[in-house]
Amino acid sequence: MTTSNAPDLFALSRIQGPVLHPGDDGYDAELTGFNLAVRHSPNVVVGATGTGDVVAAMRWAAATGTPVAVQATGHGANSPVDSGLLINTARMTDVRIDPAVRRATICAGAKWRHVLDAAAPHGLAALNGTSTDAGAVGYTVGGGLPVLGRAYGYAADMVRSFHVVTPDGTLRTASDIEEPELFWALRGGKGNVGVVTDMVTELIPLSRVLGGGVFCPGEHAGALLTAWADWTRTVPERMCSTFTVLRMPPLPQIPEPLRGGFFARVAIAWPGDPAEGDALLAPIRAAAPVVLDTVHDMPYTEVDAIHIDPQDPLPARESCTLLRDLTPDVIAAFLGQCGPAAAPDYPLLLVGLRHMGGALARPGPTGDAICARDAGYLVESVGVLPDPDAARAVEAATVALYTALLPYGTGRTMVNLHGRPGDDTDRARAWTPEVYSRLCADKTAYDPQNLLRFGHAVHTA
């Protein structure tokens, strides 16, 4: 399906949602997302209530040459929108489940929490990430690295179609049959070719999962990491796990005994028989003293309890890199930065190693722009930025961590976790040169005015 209209200078006047400018009541609230470190200041913000509002906003932008950014939950906000038009899709939260074919139609502003709650009564689940508070569409167009990725692959692998408004104001259907090149670019290419208004994705027949974390004192991080690295070479591919070094702030919402502590943790998600998964954990539980073990069989709707990501908005700096393997040299470099020998005031809240491989290593059902299938592990980090001094410390620690790991990487990142986008060379690290070149060509074809220029944008060819 494709619908198009001539450029319309007056399209904003027909938008059903709020259209706000700096100084208007509600302007600041419309812009605030989960990552409070990023403060947007566009010339105009549209609170879209549906596809029609997005079409109208994009038609106006095309007619006026106004650059455009999109935000739903603001989890992925890593650079400010300091001009132009921001389309807020947070009101577009409808989710429709078709249990007969195990599919969901998910609108642009829906969080994974909306999807899981709608799917669970049918015994179905989605390939969400570590926080169900994140927006489903933004996560998926970046590839989408799920909690159960080794078992089922990337979230983008499950998508069957998108409705997307391209920068000329045209509403299109993208699938492997209609607009296949657009479909390719929307699975892993982030928001470079259009604004998705909804997507149709397959669901998995799953109602429960064995999940949680095994926590050890931080001074035993070396022993736990070495054991985990060996363990990841032997476990079935359905075993999904992450090793994380955690420095927990002394906040009242963090439960004892974790509050204010330094810990090493292995978090797991296992969609198979709980007894089998529990038995597989024996080497991890024996590797170091355990201060807390939260692993248990749970309804999949409680999946947030596995990684216990922050639930409240906060100012944060995140980043990542992809590793080919986890050798002793890599372990030494990793621990040398964030392990027990780091300074007592080491500023990164968490530094994690995600086990890749399994279904994440296999090609998707059709071609896509995901370039992490050759990675054995992913390193991700988060630092909190309550003040300028903390921001400088977090930045220095982030740069030092990834510089130390540079010799062991694939040379690439994942776009959703890349963090603050730098210049063209830095942004290109999310893709292979061949995929990046193809994305740039698609950007030129669908966005010749370069309207979608904010965030992790590629350049026009």
Side-chain angles (χ1 to χ4, degrees):
M1 176 184 72
T2 300
T3 63
S4 181
N5 291 286
D8 188 346
L9 290 168
F10 305 101
L12 287 186
S13 65
R14 293 190 289 277
I15 287 175
Q16 300 298 306
V19 178
L20 303 171
H21 300 83
D24 289 347
D25 289 342
Y27 172 86
D28 291 336
E30 200 71 31
L31 301 173
T32 302
F34 185 85
N35 188 354
L36 301 180
V38 175
R39 306 245 178 207
H40 300 309
S41 55
N43 303 112
V44 59
V45 56
V46 167
T49 61
T51 297
D53 283 356
V54 177
V55 170
M58 292 300 289
R59 287 178 59 200
W60 177 82
T64 59
T66 301
V68 180
V70 185
Q71 177 168 285
T73 67
H75 278 73
N78 284 292
S79 58
V81 176
D82 56 5
S83 62
L85 164 68
L86 187 143
I87 301 174
N88 180 7
T89 63
R91 293 170 177 79
M92 299 169 60
T93 59
D94 287 351
V95 176
R96 300 186 299 278
I97 306 296
D98 187 340
V101 294
R102 297 206 299 250
R103 290 188 178 182
T105 301
I106 305 169
C107 288
K111 299 179 180 182
W112 280 120
R113 172 52 52 195
H114 297 125
V115 181
L116 295 194
D117 288 347
H122 307 286
L124 300 172
L127 293 186
N128 57 278
T130 56
S131 172
T132 63
D133 188 61
V137 167
Y139 160 95
T140 302
V141 296
L145 181 58
V147 172
L148 292 174
R150 280 176 48 83
Y152 297 103
Y154 292 95
D157 294 341
M158 307 291 279
V159 177
R160 295 299 164 256
S161 65
F162 295 98
H163 283 136
V164 56
V165 183
T166 45
D168 60 355
T170 300
L171 176 63
R172 306 173 190 265
T173 298
S175 69
D176 58 356
I177 298 172
E178 301 179 77
E179 302 268 12
E181 186 64 20
L182 188 60
F183 189 52
W184 175 87
L186 287 168
R187 287 170 299 133
K190 206 59 178 170
N192 274 290
V193 291
V195 180
V196 172
T197 60
D198 65 64
M199 66 181 182
V200 177
T201 185
E202 292 191 6
L203 301 171
I204 55 175
L206 184 71
S207 58
R208 303 189 69 83
V209 65
L210 181 75
V214 177
F215 294 78
C216 298
E219 57 266 29
H220 295 278
L224 186 64
L225 177 52
T226 300
W228 179 76
D230 293 340
W231 183 76
T232 59
R233 304 182 198 285
T234 64
V235 294
E237 72 173 35
R238 288 191 300 165
M239 178 59 79
C240 309
S241 65
T242 300
F243 171 89
T244 310
V245 174
L246 295 158
R247 288 171 168 85
M248 308 296 279
L251 299 176
Q253 56 264 44
I254 297 174
E256 294 287 0
L258 301 180
R259 187 182 305 150
F262 169 40
F263 301 95
R265 178 194 68 189
V266 171
I268 67 106
W270 167 259
D273 176 69
E276 181 183 357
D278 200 63
L280 285 168
L281 266 178
I284 298 301
R285 289 173 165 142
V290 175
V291 296
L292 182 66
D293 189 336
T294 66
V295 177
H296 66 286
D297 179 49
M298 65 179 71
Y300 192 75
T301 51
E302 296 178 9
V303 67
D304 284 328
I306 294 177
H307 287 266
I308 56 172
D309 281 6
Q311 296 299 302
D312 298 320
L314 76 171
R317 164 78 158 102
E318 64 179 354
S319 194
C320 79
T321 195
L322 293 163
L323 303 175
R324 296 196 183 279
D325 202 354
L326 194 52
T327 64
D329 285 346
V330 179
I331 291 173
F334 179 88
L335 292 173
Q337 292 297 313
C338 63
D345 59 349
Y346 187 75
L348 298 186
L349 175 69
L350 67 86
V351 185
L353 284 158
R354 182 89 62 98
H355 188 200
M356 305 288 278
L360 295 170
R362 292 194 285 273
T366 57
D368 54 54
I370 297 170
C371 295
R373 298 186 191 272
D374 61 340
Y377 301 85
L378 175 140
V379 182
E380 53 190 322
S381 62
V382 176
V384 179
L385 319 173
D387 55 57
D389 287 342
R392 285 188 287 271
V394 165
E395 188 63 25
T398 300
V399 170
L401 172 68
Y402 293 103
T403 300
L405 295 174
L406 184 62
Y408 312 106
T410 68
R412 290 187 293 281
T413 67
M414 288 198 72
V415 63
N416 279 349
L417 300 171
H418 180 99
R420 187 181 306 127
D423 59 15
D424 286 346
T425 300
D426 177 67
R427 298 178 195 196
R429 293 188 300 122
W431 301 283
T432 64
E434 296 77 16
V435 167
Y436 183 72
S437 178
R438 184 173 170 183
L439 278 174
C440 291
D442 288 343
K443 172 81 168 176
T444 302
Y446 287 103
D447 187 16
Q449 292 182 269
N450 193 28
L451 299 184
L452 297 168
R453 69 184 67 162
F454 296 107
H456 211 105
V458 304
H459 63 73
T460 51

